[in-house]
Amino acid sequence: MKFSLCMIVKNESAVLRDCLDSLKDVMDEIIIVDTGSTDDTKKIAAEYTPYLYDYAWKDDFAAARNFAFSKATGDYIYSADADEVLDRENQDKLKALKRALLPEVEIVQMIYVTEQINHPTENFARDLRPKLFKRLREFTWIEPIHETVNINPVIFDSDIEIRHRPQGSHSSRDFGVFEKLIAKQGVLSDRLMGMYLRELYKAGTEDELKTAEEFFEQALVEKRAEGKELLCRQMIAVLLKIYRITDDPIKMLKVALSEEATIPSAEICMELGYFFMKKEDFEEAAKWFHRAGHDCESEIDVASSGTSAFMALALCFRKLARSPRIRALPQREYELEQARLTEKAAEYEQLARDWKPVEPKLIN
């Protein structure tokens, strides 16, 4: 079985060598497509392969990957990013898979292990992703009567782990692509819409959020008409964040009272909590943070029903412990209430430290 490694790269000199060293002994050919590097990326790539191509960047990752795939000649194509590494154990697993892979398998999924500290837009440290693809697909007929062509790919979920070691957030680059796509087409697919919402909510700057405001206001109307409740709630959360940042309580009130927000997500509760915190109404803020952490489900950022909610609650309790209302109490009552609030803050700080998201089950 012949494996072709296909990569698209740009300015990856800090990580490319580690990636290629971890894959070179498993791959039969290495194809690297450079989209405009200005560092030593191409020089490093040339040490590993003669199949090095320049590709004019068109704000389209799919087009670049399709170009790389078109150069492959192997039975299977392994798609990698430069910041991925296979350790020795998983190199051996990939070699074993190569020896035993049945030709009927069309896609092999592997466990993507992300270093969360450097990747703010990921919700989980481990998720299953398609990484190895059969280059040429063989279509077969199925069913003994009213026969049809089998269009469902044969997928194998392996236990191979890929270490993803991002060098920082690429969200700004992604936002540029999203914005150009919206300007050109005016719409996004539901899949891209969900990814744009997540990246904006978790990593968007104030300017990036403001840029998206008009698009999501219009998209909310359209998706509401289509009955896409989950997407609507996600858009409401992002719009609430935008309106909170721009200090527009009227717009906040309008979207917060939307039918889709009747059962709010943790993110919606967090945004309402942050709004009241900004107004220094810490008691009201704490109610919303409590709902986020104890009563609601996350729909964009898994930490909104965990660490983020608990840390915000802790901050509210510490602010309340020093509030004028508490200081106005008689001395003994003041000391008892301050101690109680400070203890509550410490409890929630510990909860925030201890909280871990429930990782999705990867292998059946």
Side-chain angles (χ1 to χ4, degrees):
M1 201 69 74
K2 185 178 177 183
F3 283 5
S4 299
L5 170 63
C6 287
M7 302 177 66
I8 59 172
V9 297
K10 182 180 178 181
N11 293 336
E12 304 286 5
S13 60
V15 293
L16 182 58
R17 194 181 300 280
D18 286 345
C19 175
L20 293 174
D21 281 342
S22 75
L23 291 170
K24 64 181 182 181
D25 292 337
V26 193
M27 300 298 151
D28 298 283
E29 67 178 1
I30 296 174
I31 294 157
I32 298 180
V33 173
D34 188 90
T35 62
S37 293
T38 56
D39 62 3
D40 289 335
T41 294
K42 290 173 66 175
K43 181 180 178 182
I44 294 169
E47 297 174 17
Y48 293 84
T49 180
Y51 305 115
L52 178 60
Y53 301 90
D54 289 312
Y55 182 83
W57 180 241
K58 303 171 184 175
D59 291 316
D60 190 330
F61 288 95
R65 290 201 188 276
N66 284 335
F67 177 78
F69 274 35
S70 74
K71 301 299 181 182
T73 64
D75 300 296
Y76 285 84
I77 298 173
Y78 184 90
S79 180
D81 290 330
D83 56 4
E84 300 172 7
V85 173
L86 281 180
D87 62 22
R88 180 62 63 184
E89 178 185 355
N90 287 285
Q91 289 175 38
D92 291 341
K93 287 182 179 179
L94 185 54
K95 289 176 183 177
L97 174 71
K98 187 178 181 182
R99 292 191 297 270
L101 188 58
L102 297 175
E104 292 83 4
V105 174
E106 295 170 311
I107 297 174
V108 177
Q109 299 202 108
M110 301 178 188
I111 302 168
Y112 212 59
V113 183
T114 303
E115 295 181 359
Q116 296 293 91
I117 192 169
N118 290 326
H119 208 287
T121 62
E122 292 290 342
N123 274 325
F124 300 105
R126 297 163 62 84
D127 64 329
L128 207 54
R129 299 190 183 186
K131 296 296 294 180
L132 187 68
F133 308 88
K134 193 168 188 179
R135 186 173 65 87
L136 298 176
R137 189 171 187 199
E138 299 169 355
F139 290 96
T140 56
W141 291 89
I142 57 173
E143 307 296 0
I145 189 170
H146 299 300
E147 68 280 4
T148 186
V149 171
N150 181 16
I151 60 173
N152 296 316
V154 179
I155 301 174
F156 173 66
D157 294 344
S158 75
D159 63 350
I160 297 169
E161 294 189 358
I162 301 167
R163 295 285 166 180
H164 183 211
R165 306 187 300 182
Q167 301 301 295
S169 174
H170 296 299
S171 294
S172 293
R173 175 200 62 186
D174 293 350
F175 292 145
V177 176
F178 280 124
E179 290 163 10
K180 288 178 181 177
L181 190 58
I182 291 167
K184 182 179 179 180
Q185 300 182 356
V187 296
L188 294 175
S189 67
D190 287 356
R191 174 179 173 272
L192 285 181
M193 181 88 75
M195 297 179 75
Y196 189 25
L197 286 164
R198 188 182 73 214
E199 290 200 38
L200 266 180
Y201 188 80
K202 296 189 70 174
T205 65
E206 184 172 331
D207 287 341
E208 287 161 346
L209 284 158
K210 288 178 181 177
T211 298
E213 179 178 351
E214 185 177 346
F215 170 72
F216 282 121
E217 287 175 339
Q218 180 61 37
L220 179 59
V221 175
E222 295 168 359
K223 295 304 175 184
R224 180 174 287 145
E226 296 173 14
K228 302 288 181 65
E229 292 189 9
L230 174 58
L231 267 178
C232 286
R233 281 197 302 275
Q234 292 174 331
M235 280 187 273
I236 287 169
V238 172
L239 285 170
L240 282 171
K241 186 169 186 174
I242 294 169
Y243 300 150
R244 171 175 61 82
I245 288 170
T246 57
D247 200 19
D248 194 334
I250 301 300
K251 284 189 173 182
M252 284 194 75
L253 185 62
K254 285 182 179 180
V255 294
L257 293 177
S258 300
E259 182 180 348
E260 296 84 3
T262 303
I263 301 176
S265 65
E267 292 85 357
I268 290 174
C269 292
M270 289 296 294
E271 290 307 316
L272 293 171
Y274 287 135
F275 171 79
F276 286 109
M277 180 182 279
K278 188 176 180 179
K279 302 300 180 183
E280 298 189 355
D281 187 344
F282 299 110
E283 289 189 58
E284 187 64 26
K287 293 176 184 177
W288 288 104
F289 293 140
H290 188 278
R291 288 189 70 181
H294 293 284
D295 304 323
C296 297
E297 297 290 333
S298 301
E299 293 179 342
I300 304 176
D301 177 8
V302 68
S304 62
S305 58
T307 295
S308 297
F310 299 145
M311 285 302 296
L313 267 171
L315 180 58
C316 283
F317 284 125
R318 292 204 180 277
K319 291 286 188 180
L320 286 170
R322 299 191 296 270
S323 67
R325 182 181 67 82
I326 301 299
R327 290 175 180 172
L329 293 172
Q331 183 64 28
R332 181 56 180 162
E333 290 182 38
Y334 162 71
E335 291 174 354
L336 289 172
E337 185 64 3
Q338 187 181 54
R340 183 186 73 82
L341 291 168
T342 301
E343 183 178 351
K344 289 289 289 183
E347 289 175 6
Y348 275 107
E349 286 165 352
Q350 188 61 49
L351 271 176
R353 286 191 291 270
D354 293 342
W355 183 83
K356 295 288 187 299
V358 177
E359 298 281 354
K361 188 176 181 181
L362 299 179
I363 304 294
N364 291 328

